[in-house]
């Protein structure tokens, strides 16, 4: 019998030879592309329970609440944040049932901020569907967001861990700070890369970090594991947001259910804009000022914006920055033993970055 | 030496005689009018500490947050809710320092809902001053509201009591439900008295109840005292809101820094409207439908609305309903021993209702 590594080499050799004939290479590459499959395999059963809890806890005698909340909760999000809680718990060998309720809290906090974000951005579409504010109005979205946020804290109180409450209330405050900071900088094309990173560290990455930290806390693992998973989540969250910013200018709409140009139309300053502005000449900076600061956008402006980004490598380099944070996230998991949970968490990093290609 | 009651009678006799000459009667009556003075005397020193904590905890590296929060926090509110927490703690013989931080939480939750309310109502003025949303925009108000709400939970977590977290997270969820319910019924002149009471029980009274309940919880008093103070707060909150609704049609603006007609201009259905609509004839109901449902308001409509309310005794009877809830609130305190804390709490009830006269 062959040793495993010999077997692998043999298979690869065979594959290479076959590939010449039927071009299996492409198929093999696709099958190797990082995906959320290992994560789904790891936590899929728990996620069913999380979805059940989400539906249960968004009920209210006030009918508009489950209607509106159901619209956004069911709108095809990946449930990435609650899955991080479930996978972190799994990585830490957690064997109880608390992780599902706490993952639902994480999703409620995320959903509440989405509802408020869409109001703040006047967004009409999210993931290709009408936003709650465009269907029920801004007022209902603000108030149902408040409801879901309160619900999240109620569920945490039922769980009974002050440590978890501390982690998620801190994350919520930091997220709100990040949103305000983004609002303040939202029409300033001269925003620095550092300021922008500060925004996304708060508004996006803080909840990723908190979602991951809950796992080791409920598994009662040592502080060093908490910090490792916090760092993994924080850096993954930064990478995720940077790639999201790239996709907003470069996504293939059908694949991602994402509308290209939303950020541009909202006048949002993201890293691709920051880089293109700083690398641009006087005339180009005038273009960014007109379209994003003065909000004077005309036909063809979005294409021109994308053209400038390509000219200066702003999208490519934003992905490179994301890859940097992804690498830090991967290394943060170094202290954990190999296994399906660690593999799944590592693959999320690659998945988040590969989305850009 | 005279017995105290004899002395009192003698003084009163003297006063009566003097009154004939210099009309001190009016002065005496005014000095007897219920006020917040006994409450201020009881908790004034603690309230200084609460205000210090409020200022401390609304700080943030994101400068807009303390600016906007400071605007509403400093805008001359009575701090009635945190004072209820302080007075309840005093009534229960609490001797520690936790009541001040928790009173600050109560005020933060209240302030967050005010910020979101003003956005939902498109209000331009609150207590005679420009609202935060009219100065900084709706977006900033939504996000700073979220920040203050998160802060409240952070402070509660620092305090460390799951019981308190339970009480205030439940109140927050119920308040959000009440706000949504009010939004749903906001332009329906046929709203029933029962539905309206359900709205204010949630949106206003739930936080009064929670603010009062915190006192016996931190003083570790028996459940019966918790329930008594919860009932006191709930019924006081209902009475307070009903009188507020009356004042919105009948206040003397200078005295109250309150703009008459805000609710009418917002198309809000409050109990005076509910009663006037139900007691009105066909033509009058058409008037209410035009002004509040169709939002078609013309010069003179507000005066006409007030006239209809007087014609049907709608304001008078709303005050009578408030007096009913006030009486329930007073009786809820029956189990507590007499003393300055109980007197102050009883006088708040009278103060809240007497505001209407």
């Amino acid at each position: 019998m062959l040793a495993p590594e010999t077997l692998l080499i043999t298979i690869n050799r065979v594959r290479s030879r076959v590939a010449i004939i039927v071009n299996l290479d492409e198929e093999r590459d696709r099958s190797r592309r990082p995906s959320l499959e290992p994560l789904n395999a790891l936590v899929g059963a728990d996620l069913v329970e999380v979805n059940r809890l989400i539906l249960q806890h968004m009920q209210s005698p006030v009918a508009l609440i489950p209607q509106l909340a159901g619209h956004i909760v069911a709108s095809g999000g990946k449930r990435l944040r609650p899955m991080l809680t479930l996978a972190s718990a799994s990585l830490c060998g957690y064997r109880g049932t608390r992780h599902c309720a706490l993952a639902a809290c994480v999703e409620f906090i995320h959903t509440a901020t989405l509802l408020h974000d869409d109001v703040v951005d006047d967004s009409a579409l999210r993931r290709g569907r009408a936003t709650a504010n465009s269907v029920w109005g801004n007022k209902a979205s603000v108030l149902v967001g408040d409801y879901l946020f309160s619900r999240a804290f109620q569920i945490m109180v039922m769980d009974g861990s002050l440590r978890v409450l501390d982690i998620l209330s801190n994350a919520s405050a930091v997220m709100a700070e990040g949103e305000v900071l983004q609002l303040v900088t939202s029409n300033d094309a001269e925003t620095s890369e550092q300021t922008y990173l500060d925004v996304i560290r708060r508004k996006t990455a803080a909840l990723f970090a908190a979602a991951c930290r809950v796992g080791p806390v409920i598994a009662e693992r040592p502080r060093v594991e908490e910090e490792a998973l916090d760092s993994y989540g924080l850096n993954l969250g930064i990478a995720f947001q940077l790639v999201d910013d790239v996709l907003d200018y470069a996504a293939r709409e059908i694949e991602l259910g994402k509308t290209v140009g939303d950020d541009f139309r909202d006048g949002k300053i993201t890293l691709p804009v920051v880089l293109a502005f700083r690398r641009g000449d006087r005339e180009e900076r005038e273009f960014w000022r007109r379209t994003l600061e003065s909000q004077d956008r005309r036909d063809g402006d979005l294409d021109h914006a994308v053209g400038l980004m390509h000219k200066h490598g702003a999208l490519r380099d934003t992905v490179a920055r994301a890859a940097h944070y992804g690498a830090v996230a991967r290394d943060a998991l170094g202290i954990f033993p190999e296994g399906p949970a660690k593999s799944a968490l590592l693959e999320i990093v690659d998945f988040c970055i590969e989305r850009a290609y």
Side-chain angles (χ1 to χ4, degrees), chain A:
Chain A
M1 205 179 147
L2 294 165
E5 53 275 35
T6 319
L7 182 64
L8 191 69
I9 291 164
T10 309
I11 289 172
N12 278 341
R13 277 205 192 127
V14 171
R15 278 211 174 159
S16 299
R17 251 177 280 147
V18 175
I20 298 164
I21 303 162
V22 296
N23 196 19
L24 267 183
D25 254 7
E26 199 188 324
E27 197 166 289
R28 190 189 56 188
D29 280 344
R30 209 181 313 155
S31 74
R32 266 192 198 164
R33 279 202 78 169
S35 77
L36 293 182
E37 278 318 305
L39 181 65
N40 278 321
L42 184 76
V43 302
D46 285 343
L47 194 60
V48 172
E49 172 64 4
V50 171
N51 283 329
R52 193 191 65 76
L53 288 168
I54 286 173
L55 283 173
Q56 177 191 321
H57 288 296
M58 76 188 196
Q59 292 313 309
S60 160
V62 182
L64 178 57
I65 291 176
Q67 278 167 26
L68 193 154
H71 176 84
I72 186 158
V73 160
S75 73
K78 289 179 290 297
R79 300 271 194 277
L80 186 54
R81 293 159 190 80
M83 285 169 98
L84 287 173
T85 301
L86 301 175
S88 297
S90 171
L91 180 68
C92 293
Y94 179 69
R95 290 276 168 272
T97 55
R98 293 168 58 200
H99 59 321
C100 292
L102 296 175
C105 291
V106 167
E107 186 69 2
F108 271 0
I109 292 173
H110 173 57
T111 306
T113 60
L114 289 187
L115 284 172
H116 288 186
D117 273 5
D118 284 340
V119 169
V120 167
D121 295 341
D122 281 322
S123 302
L125 290 174
R126 175 173 289 280
R127 300 185 198 114
R129 286 185 72 198
T131 54
N133 49 308
S134 72
V135 178
W136 288 279
N138 283 343
K139 302 174 180 190
S141 285
V142 169
L143 299 175
V144 175
D146 289 349
Y147 179 76
L148 293 179
F149 196 61
S150 303
R151 273 310 226 184
F153 279 91
Q154 280 186 305
I155 302 169
M156 283 184 256
V157 171
M158 280 188 271
D159 173 71
S161 162
L162 282 166
R163 284 295 321 282
V164 170
L165 276 156
D166 186 42
I167 290 164
L168 285 171
S169 65
N170 287 343
S172 300
V174 169
M175 286 164 80
E177 277 183 334
E179 298 280 355
V180 176
L181 191 58
Q182 180 167 55
L183 185 67
V184 173
T185 61
S186 64
N187 297 120
D188 180 4
E190 289 192 37
T191 302
S192 70
E193 178 164 355
Q194 201 49 52
T195 298
Y196 180 67
L197 269 174
D198 197 23
V199 167
I200 66 174
R201 197 184 293 271
R202 290 165 190 257
K203 76 159 192 160
T204 307
L207 188 58
F208 275 70
C212 291
R213 189 162 201 148
V214 167
V217 167
I218 60 176
E220 299 179 0
R221 302 296 306 161
R223 184 66 70 131
V224 66
E225 294 189 13
E226 275 184 41
E227 280 161 11
L229 274 160
D230 189 294
S231 170
Y232 164 82
L234 188 81
N235 286 285
L236 172 66
I238 295 171
F240 176 87
Q241 184 62 59
L242 290 174
V243 170
D244 225 51
D245 294 343
V246 168
L247 290 176
D248 208 88
Y249 285 95
R252 286 149 298 183
E253 302 209 5
I254 297 160
E255 261 184 57
L256 291 134
K258 203 176 157 89
T259 325
V260 167
D262 276 351
D263 289 349
F264 186 73
R265 275 183 290 270
D266 290 344
K268 258 192 205 166
I269 309 297
T270 58
L271 190 56
V273 172
V274 169
L275 295 179
F277 179 86
R278 297 200 162 232
R279 294 171 183 182
D281 59 23
R282 210 170 53 88
E283 194 187 330
E284 290 171 16
R285 291 187 185 180
E286 275 314 304
F287 167 80
W288 293 114
R289 287 214 178 86
R290 170 173 65 78
T291 53
L292 299 179
E293 291 186 2
S294 312
Q295 306 286 338
D296 168 15
R297 286 178 290 271
R298 305 165 195 167
D299 282 354
D301 277 351
L302 177 59
D303 285 343
H304 186 60
V306 173
L308 291 179
M309 287 176 177
H310 282 301
K311 174 182 169 192
H312 293 294
L315 295 170
R316 179 199 63 211
D317 288 351
T318 299
V319 176
R321 306 286 208 269
H324 158 81
Y325 290 101
V328 178
R330 293 178 61 92
D331 272 320
L333 295 186
I335 60 166
F336 292 99
E338 305 303 318
K342 183 167 170 178
S343 300
L345 286 166
L346 289 172
E347 190 154 340
I348 300 173
V349 179
D350 295 336
F351 169 78
C352 283
I353 291 165
E354 290 265 338
R355 291 189 308 153
Y357 296 110

